[in-house]
Amino acid sequence: MLGPERMKEIAQRVLALSKAEQTEVLLLGEDTQLTRFANSRIHQNVAERNVEVRVRAVAGKKVGVATINDLSDGALQEVVEQALEIALLQPENPDFQSLPRPRPLPEVESFFQATADHSPEKRAQEIHTICKLSTENRLIASGAFTTSSLEICVHNSLGVFAHAPTTVSDLTVVIMSDDSSGYASASSPDVSDINAEQIGREAIDKALRSHSSKAIKPDEYPVILEEYAVAEMLLYMAYLGFGALAVQEGRSFMANRFGQRITGENISIWDDGLDKSGMPLPFDFEGVPKQRVNLIRNGVATAVVYDSYAAAKEGKESTGHALPAPNTYGPQPTNLFMKPGKATKQEMLASVERGLWVTRFHYVNPVHPLKAILTGMTRDGTFWIEHGEIKGAVKNLRFTQGVLEALSEVRMISEETKLIRDFLGGIRAPALCIDRFAFTGVTEF
Amino acid sequence: MKDIAQRALNVAQLQGASYADVRIIHQQTQSIVVKNGHVEALSHNQNQGVGIRVVVNGSWGFASSSILSVKEAERVGARAAQIARASALVKTSNVALGPPEVHVAHYHTSVEIDPFSVPLQDKIDLLLAADAEMRRVKGITVAKGNMDFVRENEVFASTEGSYIEQEFVESGAGIEAIAVGEDEVQTRSFPNSFGRQQGKAGYEYIGNQELVENAQRTAEEAVALLCAPPCPSRVTTLILDSTQLALQLHESCGHPIELDRVMGEEASFAGTSFLTRDKLGSFRYGSPLVNIYADATIPGALGTFGYDDEGVPAQRTRIVKDGIFVGYLTSRETAAWLGQRSNGTMRADGWNRIPLIRMTNINLEPGTWELDDLIADTDDGIYMATNKSWSIDDKRLNFQFGTQLAYEIKKGKRGRMLRNATYTGITPEFWGSCDAICSEKHWQVWGLPNCGKGEPVQAAHVAHGTAPARFRNVRVGLM
């Protein structure tokens, strides 16, 4: 970690070197460690230290971006000149207005020293606990334990200056036997929140209960989706439809539907980068403060997120959801929340006469983006429910299901939620009990 | 670079490493995206660093840094050794790499035109010309084009005495037209989906793609798809074009033959494989027509190199012979488990990542059919082209793919265009139903620059050579 003073000094040096009309420098520092285990042994154990300098140069309506991870004076001079050179070489982009101007930045604590200090030895000890428990149950453990310190600094020639350190920790566990598997995971900015033994026991319990799975006929069934599966659906909703550019280009399921009901009334989804129960960060990659954006409120399509480029097209202000430039996919929500309900998973289970319990999804992809139809497989704990009780494991199934239709038939929502790590943030999701979910195929295990 | 590499290896050995290797990489990329008549993004990236992999107390450790100095190499070497000692706290056996691999060599991609020497304006002009052709077609909402160029210089050194210098150059380009209708969005891309067709080659590779010449047709197909009837749901005969067959091969053969995956080392993330060790040499993977091989030596193909990231020479390996599964992709460690020598497939996507078993160029041998004859020989079926969506289970058995374009085939003739076509199946049943493969004339290598694997996720650049092929009794039209 370079720290705020050193990062500011580098950023100021870059701005001073630039001859562009407007210049932005984004510094991304990373000190990440990851321990992977498989077959109940640590087989990969890595550490990375890197600082990337990303310069965006503006000449009128022309924008060029250059990056480098060499902090020497010569390299910084080169990257600044390169950004302007490629900006000047291109035709004007009429949609580009300006880099963002400074706005007051909120404060949110997202750096935890315990995470930054978490050593390879500590990770090994916690993994040893999981592997030992697995072996005692004649099972095989695999998974990954990540601890990461990140530092983000944005400085532009219009006066924006933003700096924040943040930490991320994430433990995923898959426990297997010859004919069963179970999954559990935990994520938090603070590694002290992660109880490795508890996560290991959750996955072991699933693996022990998913032996001797039977095939069931693909059909529409009532389903209980655990938080892991719900988070996966929310991730794809964000990717397909919650960004302003997707709406402007007509490829979002939110396009032309604002003010209309698109899910059941019991569904509310929002993005909040300042909520400490997520993976908070006070600003985006343009240094714009993050705003809470209500995406779906009581089933009604309400809003999408903006970066400065997409906002300027509509004469709006950015909501603080820019990704690092250049970004042709548009703004994205990275701190999603779904409103919890009041049910327990036991109450959900008791309410299902005949149906399925799904732990998580695997290899999900959109089949029809505009209708938000997804396909994917179930994995690591799929069970048959009869008369309100789990009757045994079933072979994994393929689903092909419209997300909005599924969220229109949510019978119960859990009070408990889980934080699941996303590529750039996190998703806090409840479990859902859904009246109908379309399973279209079955596999052999 | 040699002093940094040697110092890192020395420090690792002083810290107790029984084996260490170091990679020092400098990578330069240029990326251009045009959209609707203007340049949407243009970036130039430079990235450098050193990564050190060690075995201490019989376990692996790896550390990396973007700072290239002897002092930092010492720190990173010691860090890797510390991490390896921590790994040894949870081990079941000692790492064994088999016989030493000692190579002192130099390799570089053969290039006619250095893509970084071509004026940026020429590249932008070409993409804008294709963009304009697409937007001339009424009904196109978004027209896109992109180019990507990569130059990577890598030094590999090991405590066994290897010292290998390699330079790779890549060039890629593609266009995409999006048409938006009521409740429908349809996309057509050329030459392939995933943004572009990319190869280990110079700028001459771009000139051969004829982007402008194919822009209007690409856009017209996107618009026509808006009004096309949906693909019906039924079991039928399926003919796949070579681009879609490349992804089919990738997902249902390329991944399940990775021996680290087979041995459970990717279990927690991407999953395992149905091609377990007991199946090697006897399992019927496909029909007798199906012959598949890995070849990291094909000139111009995206998965081609001189030496892998363990310093093992690039090779050609048979995977499926006359329909029988006969070979895996291996590393030094996993090959030793089988009593074999690595077939050279360990690659990392940068200085800050460890090498993993990755596909090289995984290819389906061509057959004898002409495409026109194959369609004429098909009484009732569907032709599908260019991937749109993909999904497969965590043992690589149950798959479902969607394609951008489809046509019905009736009485040996191409019929109506169909939209939102999908097909699904179980891997060995699907390949077992293959009864015709087109000839070498139709065979092409398709570059895939986004193959994800590992944690942290690594994107490998791989490729697949395929010709159109026919499959019987396939379920299509799931939506």
Side-chain angles (χ1 to χ4, degrees), chain A residues 185-196:
Chain A
S185 75
S187 304
S188 172
D190 184 358
V191 74
S192 310
D193 292 340
I194 293 183
N195 184 332

Side-chain angles (χ1 to χ4, degrees), chain B residues 279-329:
Chain B
K279 293 189 170 74
L280 186 64
S282 60
F283 180 73
R284 179 155 287 287
Y285 176 87
S287 74
L289 292 178
V290 175
N291 286 286
I292 298 170
Y293 63 100
D295 188 352
T297 68
I298 300 173
L302 193 58
T304 292
F305 47 84
Y307 295 81
D308 78 354
D309 287 333
E310 289 191 310
V312 177
Q315 296 166 42
R316 178 182 163 121
T317 304
R318 190 161 280 287
I319 304 297
V320 174
K321 183 171 175 14
D322 302 328
I324 303 297
F325 166 58
V326 295
Y328 288 114
L329 303 177

Side-chain angles (χ1 to χ4, degrees), chain A residues 34 50 89 100 102 105 114 119 145 188 205 210 223 236 242 290 311 366 374 378 403-404 416-417 428:
Chain A
L34 184 150
N50 192 14
L89 274 168
L105 291 172
S119 66
F145 200 158
S188 172
D205 172 61
S210 60
V223 67
Y236 276 90
F242 287 153
K290 283 193 174 284
L374 305 178
T378 67
V403 176
L404 300 180
E416 194 181 319
T417 59
R428 185 164 280 283

Side-chain angles (χ1 to χ4, degrees), chain A residues 33 36 39 41-43 45 47-48 50 65-67 69 78 89 249 363 365-366 368 379 398 443, chain B residues 35 43-46 48 62 64 79 87 90 121 251 263 265-267 269 352-353 390-391 393 398:
Chain A
Q33 302 175 63
R36 292 184 93 191
N39 298 311
R41 66 161 187 140
I42 292 175
H43 67 308
N45 207 347
E48 173 189 359
N50 192 14
V65 176
T67 67
N69 68 346
E78 184 186 345
L89 274 168
E249 291 179 351
Y363 221 138
N365 243 320
H368 195 300
R379 185 180 167 183
R398 171 169 297 287
T443 191
Chain B
K35 188 162 94 178
S43 64
H44 189 100
N45 310 306
Q46 290 188 69
Q48 64 178 27
F62 174 83
S64 62
R79 179 76 167 142
S87 301
V90 190
Q121 196 61 56
E251 300 289 4
M263 301 303 288
E265 298 210 333
E266 292 294 323
F269 187 60
N352 52 356
R353 298 288 181 264
W390 64 100
S391 175
D393 72 36
N398 179 306

